[in-house]
Amino acid sequence: MKVLTCLEPGKFEYGEGIRPELSPGKAIIKIKRIGICGTDLHAFEGTQPYFSYPRVLGHELAGELVAVDGVQGFSPGDLVTIIPYFNCGECVACKAGKPNCCAKISVFGVHEDGGMKEYITVPSTALVKQEGLSLDQLALAEPLAIGAHGVRRAGVSKGEFVIVMGAGPIGLGVMEFARIAGGKVIAMDINEDRLAFCREVLGVDHTVNAKGDYKSEIAKITGGSFAESVIDATGSAIAIHNGFELMAHGGRYVLVGLQKGPIEFSHPEFHKRESTLMSSRNATREDFDAVLKALKDQQVKAASYITHRVTFDQVKEDFSSWLDPANKVIKAMVSL
């Protein structure tokens, strides 16, 4: 079978791999769709934490189930996606019902080789399906689940202002589920095309360009109170540091985005608000279930996210172009 490997930052190479055989507790999937996410782009750039090379990328996946062992409710021929965070089941986080931040977690396409290949084998317990969803929708379940998890961490309530920093695919998912939770969403980005997408496609009421006087704009929108929830989906150190001053008193700040350096903020400003700072890592099956329901009920129209489509044979040639803001990529989708 054909495999695409990122040998080192900036370098892909096609090769041949061995098609997997069924083993106990495993499933085999014929890959049909691969969504390209920020993790893949950052890995290609060489800026992704928790990463080593060479690596087969790809964890936003959908395909046809070929064979399965060890779980009920799945049959060959089913269209499926996966929860690509493989946990140990024994550490303190797993025992507390938080497998998404397992101490020994292995993320498919990050810590181990992922889905940029014709067939994959994964633990059968990672399988997810929802009757009536397309391959495109299933491939988008994982990034949307990350957004859903971040909103759940923030505890967004009806009528609260929610600032979402970053209007990439993860940020868009955060906005969608903040809206579903009843939040009043304020989208922030430095890319005016993406802000236009938020207004015109997602129907976000408030958009703010972070290159301008964003603090004054947000003060005006919120009546001077700022936002009960601030959620970062940029992974930019500058954006993360600036986000602290946008919280309302008693507010929550959730970091979905990830950057490599330290975080610094004014302790007096943070303290006087009795602020809460949280990270949000990956997602749980509960989040996937919420996403699949939202997709099925048409609360989230994920197909509108897909702006670029290529075949598997075109990925090597086209991948670097998806890093250029001029190409206006929201989500690139690969078909096999």
Side-chain angles (χ1 to χ4, degrees):
M1 64 175 181
K2 185 173 285 189
V3 179
L4 180 61
T5 303
C6 187
L7 299 177
E8 59 188 44
K11 186 176 181 180
F12 274 120
E13 194 62 60
Y14 288 103
E16 290 295 319
I18 299 172
R19 178 172 166 172
E21 296 183 359
L22 188 65
S23 58
K26 298 287 188 176
I28 298 172
I29 302 169
K30 180 176 176 59
I31 295 299
K32 298 285 190 178
R33 295 288 187 279
I34 306 167
I36 305 300
C37 77
T39 298
D40 302 322
L41 296 171
H42 295 155
F44 184 76
E45 288 182 308
T47 59
Q48 177 64 29
Y50 316 131
F51 210 84
S52 62
Y53 303 85
R55 181 65 68 221
V56 178
L57 307 181
H59 61 268
E60 297 181 4
L61 306 168
E64 180 182 333
L65 187 60
V66 175
V68 60
D69 176 77
V71 295
Q72 300 296 316
F74 291 88
S75 303
D78 286 346
L79 299 184
V80 297
T81 184
I82 64 166
I83 301 175
Y85 329 118
F86 306 149
N87 62 295
C88 73
E90 299 175 351
C91 72
V92 63
C94 289
K95 288 179 178 178
K98 299 179 179 180
N100 56 299
C101 57
C102 168
K104 300 177 182 178
I105 200 165
S106 183
V107 178
F108 202 58
V110 178
H111 304 105
E112 62 181 84
D113 284 345
M116 287 194 179
K117 55 182 73 169
E118 292 180 273
Y119 293 87
I120 63 169
T121 182
V122 297
S124 297
T125 53
L127 294 174
V128 182
K129 70 175 181 177
Q130 174 64 64
E131 297 296 333
L133 294 187
S134 69
L135 288 165
D136 286 346
Q137 289 173 309
L138 289 167
L140 289 166
E142 192 272 342
L144 288 169
I146 289 177
H149 188 71
V151 170
R152 190 154 62 91
R153 289 280 286 159
V156 173
S157 297
K158 186 175 181 179
E160 290 186 342
F161 281 105
V162 183
I163 295 172
V164 182
M165 300 192 300
I170 299 298
L172 297 178
V174 173
M175 294 175 204
E176 296 270 49
F177 285 92
R179 170 184 56 78
I180 290 170
K184 295 183 285 189
V185 177
I186 303 170
M188 283 185 65
D189 204 288
I190 59 173
N191 185 320
E192 195 56 48
D193 290 324
R194 290 198 167 187
L195 292 175
F197 184 92
C198 293
R199 292 190 299 271
E200 296 165 10
V201 178
L202 299 192
V204 173
D205 291 329
H206 306 288
T207 59
V208 176
N209 194 314
K211 287 183 177 179
D213 186 3
Y214 60 86
K215 191 173 180 181
S216 293
E217 287 189 59
I218 290 170
K220 184 177 180 180
I221 291 167
T222 62
S225 295
F226 293 92
E228 289 91 340
S229 293
V230 178
I231 305 178
D232 175 76
T234 66
S236 160
I238 294 172
I240 290 169
H241 292 152
N242 290 342
F244 283 94
E245 64 184 6
L246 303 179
M247 276 187 291
H249 281 247
R252 289 95 59 193
Y253 193 4
V254 178
L255 304 181
V256 178
L258 177 66
Q259 53 94 29
K260 285 186 173 182
I263 295 171
E264 297 178 355
F265 54 88
S266 166
H267 188 180
E269 289 297 319
F270 185 80
H271 196 97
K272 76 181 184 182
R273 290 170 168 80
E274 198 178 55
S275 308
T276 301
L277 175 63
M278 292 176 276
S279 61
S280 178
R281 190 176 188 194
N282 301 325
T284 66
R285 185 169 289 273
E286 181 180 355
D287 301 309
F288 274 79
D289 289 343
V291 165
L292 294 176
K293 184 179 186 303
L295 288 167
K296 186 174 182 179
D297 294 346
Q298 291 293 302
Q299 289 181 292
V300 177
K301 296 180 173 60
S304 60
Y305 291 17
I306 301 171
T307 53
H308 292 64
R309 290 184 181 274
V310 298
T311 65
F312 188 54
D313 290 338
Q314 295 173 300
V315 175
K316 178 182 176 180
E317 180 179 351
D318 287 11
F319 198 94
S320 62
S321 69
W322 300 331
L323 292 160
D324 186 350
N327 290 321
K328 301 182 181 181
V329 179
I330 299 294
K331 175 62 66 178
M333 186 65 71
V334 181
S335 297
L336 282 77

